[in-house]
Amino acid sequence: MQRGHYQTSTAQLIEAAKSTQDLSTAIRATYSAQLSQTPKLLIQAGFLWSQLAPQDPLPWQYMAEAHLFNQQIKKSINALEQELQRGGGEGLVRVANLSTNLTNTNDTVQKELQNYFLLWLDTYPHHPKIHYALAILARELGHTDAAIAHIKTSLSLDERYLEAQFFYGDLLIKSNDLSTADRYLAQYTKPLKLAPSLLINQHAQALTLLGQHVLAYAHFKELTRRQPNHFYNQYSAGLLAYENNDHLATLTHLNKAIALDPNQHSAFYYMALSNLREQRPKQAIKLLRQVSKGSDRLNALSLLVELEAPIQTQRVSYFHQLRDQNQDLSPYIFALEAHYLQEKEDINAVTQTYQNALHTHPNDISLLYAYALFAESLHQFDITEQMLLRIIDIEPNHINALNALGYSYAERNIKLSQGQTLILKALTLDPNNPAIMDSLGWVKYRLGHLRQSLKLLTQAYDILPIAEIAAHVGVVKWALGDTQGAFDTWNLALEQEPDNALIKQAILDAQNEFQKD
């Protein structure tokens, strides 16, 4: 039914309930008003219901929601108080949830609700739904400890409160307290056949995150037994069966999943992976060719190229056909072709592929950047510079291009002032990026600002202790006369990577450059 239809029928039901003073008609009008998503009608219908059934808490719940939707906070709170006085309380939970979902509310509303709910605990100290509502608000306000305390109290007052059980589990999972979540949920999911589906699903998520795939699979398998036509359950069971190296179960669940939702092509991808593990490449290729949408499409294409491995004489036509079949991914397939040729060490063909790609897609930033890096690996620095400048011309705030070009200048000890400007702009856009700090430190070194250089490089190394930055730190320390500090830095890096060429080259370069000094 359309919203307008519900509005019309609600208005008619309200008039009928007024004229007949019939309670059931007023209740129908209230439910119809809720479906119409019209707060004004919901308040009218709910108020009429409350007049015809003065001790019923339920109409006050609906009126509280409608008032909150209208940003009438005081009226919403008054309605909730009326609900509590009549023995209800579910409205507090619903309003707390609604306050976190409405785009036009803020934490001021949630704090006001929280203050009133806390006051009501003086009158209703053993009301589980007040504590549950307070837990919802506390979590939304970022007070996780308070949320846990309230939800625990709610469950101590009503240990069978399913929604509160689920909320606590969700709170633990989102807080990344997975072991506690596992222990907590286990008490409700044993035996599985008697457990609530909601908690089985939640426990399975926690187990998956913990890497306990066998147990997680058992949970989802139970859910597929209960709901065999539920896509998510079948798909999740299939993925977990794959993690457990259970080929037959993987195919069983994922075939059912794709039958339930033919648009979920990731199921084909994981069935292909499972077939590969079983040494069945032909079946895998057939499945990969069916992946034409979804998040695993690029992965499927990459694996397909690897498996089909076109020979030299067929390579051009193969990738042309692949682009023709996947026209929206043409730039990616050019990049895939270039990578494939790099693996074959066919450098001339890689260059030609990038040139063809940029003739077809002259402004594709991913292709320009990939070609820049490839050219740099061949010491074709003019091409690298040209590609990176084109990216910056297209997207002036492209952080990686700014940093890469600036660092390239610093590394070659040219255009240092321009390089510093580029790197400073990148760092302004991403101030905590250690790779950019390293670049700025290196260009400062080239400019002779050794103290500034060391400070920047040390900051970068503290955040990202990798060999490339360690090499730079050591060189600058050596240049400052701290040869022992330089060797300490390099040796520490070599302890992690004994054969690292960057560190060894840094030592040689420093010794050669400063030998005479």
Side-chain angles (χ1 to χ4, degrees), residues 2-12 32 36-38 41:
Q2 298 296 317
R3 179 178 172 182
H5 175 81
Y6 281 122
Q7 289 174 337
T8 302
S9 64
T10 300
Q12 292 171 346
S32 179
S36 77
Q37 300 177 26
T38 310
L41 291 175

Side-chain angles (χ1 to χ4, degrees), residues 390-407:
R390 282 176 63 182
I391 292 172
I392 294 167
D393 185 55
I394 296 166
E395 190 178 318
N397 291 333
H398 193 285
I399 294 171
N400 288 340
L402 291 165
N403 182 55
L405 185 54
Y407 181 78

Side-chain angles (χ1 to χ4, degrees), residues 86-115:
R86 288 161 176 78
E90 181 62 26
L92 280 75
V93 174
R94 294 172 69 104
V95 164
N97 274 318
L98 186 60
S99 76
T100 69
N101 294 325
L102 290 176
T103 56
N104 57 350
T105 61
N106 53 44
D107 63 0
T108 302
V109 173
Q110 288 144 17
K111 287 176 181 176
E112 188 169 1
L113 290 171
Q114 185 182 59
N115 289 336

Side-chain angles (χ1 to χ4, degrees), residues 205-217:
Q205 291 178 38
L207 290 167
T208 301
L209 292 169
L210 284 166
Q212 297 183 26
H213 297 137
V214 173
L215 285 173
Y217 172 71

